[in-house]
């Protein structure tokens, strides 16, 4: 099965930026549409952004204009550039296929606090 390893999270102040990375194992990564998901405490997991194998992107309304999803198929990696972060963005961020499979990585914690 494909394995997913998220990284790049951390503690930042409001208005700052982070770039998350998702490294995927497997030789068929380039065929998958991928998404970034997040889950805040006490809330359901939500789709933040998705990207097709060809690079077409769709964003949740809450992050449009602030976040950018991208991929490098040669590196089997998906990225999420997050700008103008606010406390509402605090969550554990996960990558997965889109639509999601049952196989999740451990995620990476993003905390936005002053």
């Amino acid at each position: 099965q494909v394995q997913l390893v998220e990284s790049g999270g951390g503690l930042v102040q409001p208005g700052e930026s982070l770039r998350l990375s998702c490294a995927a194992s497997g030789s068929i990564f380039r065929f998958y549409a991928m998404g970034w998901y997040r889950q805040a405490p006490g809330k359901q997991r939500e789709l933040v952004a998705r990207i097709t194998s060809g690079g077409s992107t769709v964003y949740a309304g809450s992050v449009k204009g602030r976040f950018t999803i991208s991929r490098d198929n040669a590196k089997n990696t998906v990225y999420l550039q997050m700008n103008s972060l606010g406390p509402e963005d605090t969550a554990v961020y996960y990558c997965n296929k889109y639509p999601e499979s049952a196989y999740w990585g451990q995620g990476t914690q993003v905390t936005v606090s002053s």
Side-chain angles (χ1 to χ4, degrees), residues 16-18 20 66-67 80-85 93 110:
E16 295 184 342
S17 299
L18 283 172
L20 308 183
R66 300 189 298 121
F67 290 12
L80 186 68
Q81 177 67 45
M82 306 185 295
N83 299 327
S84 300
L85 286 163
Y93 285 71
V110 172

Side-chain angles (χ1 to χ4, degrees), residues 1-9 19-26 29 34-36 75-80 92-97 103-109:
Q1 190 61 253
V2 174
Q3 293 185 320
L4 303 165
V5 180
E6 300 93 343
S7 62
R19 190 179 78 151
L20 308 183
S21 298
C22 170
S25 65
F29 170 84
M34 298 292 293
W36 279 99
K75 297 181 179 179
N76 281 11
T77 302
V78 183
Y79 304 97
L80 186 68
V92 178
Y93 285 71
Y94 303 88
C95 66
N96 205 334
K97 296 189 297 181
Y103 303 99
W104 297 89
Q106 292 301 302
T108 185
Q109 176 73 49

Side-chain angles (χ1 to χ4, degrees), residues 25-101:
S25 65
S27 61
I28 59 174
F29 170 84
R30 66 187 183 277
F31 297 113
Y32 299 156
M34 298 292 293
W36 279 99
Y37 306 77
R38 68 185 181 188
Q39 187 165 26
K43 299 181 66 177
Q44 295 182 345
R45 180 179 280 134
E46 65 173 339
L47 177 67
V48 173
R50 65 182 193 263
I51 185 168
T52 69
S53 60
S56 179
T57 59
V58 180
Y59 298 92
S62 58
V63 308
K64 280 190 295 185
R66 300 189 298 121
F67 290 12
T68 302
I69 187 172
S70 61
R71 68 191 298 160
D72 186 338
N73 288 341
K75 297 181 179 179
N76 281 11
T77 302
V78 183
Y79 304 97
L80 186 68
Q81 177 67 45
M82 306 185 295
N83 299 327
S84 300
L85 286 163
E88 68 275 13
D89 298 311
T90 295
V92 178
Y93 285 71
Y94 303 88
C95 66
N96 205 334
K97 296 189 297 181
Y98 179 84
E100 70 267 25
S101 77

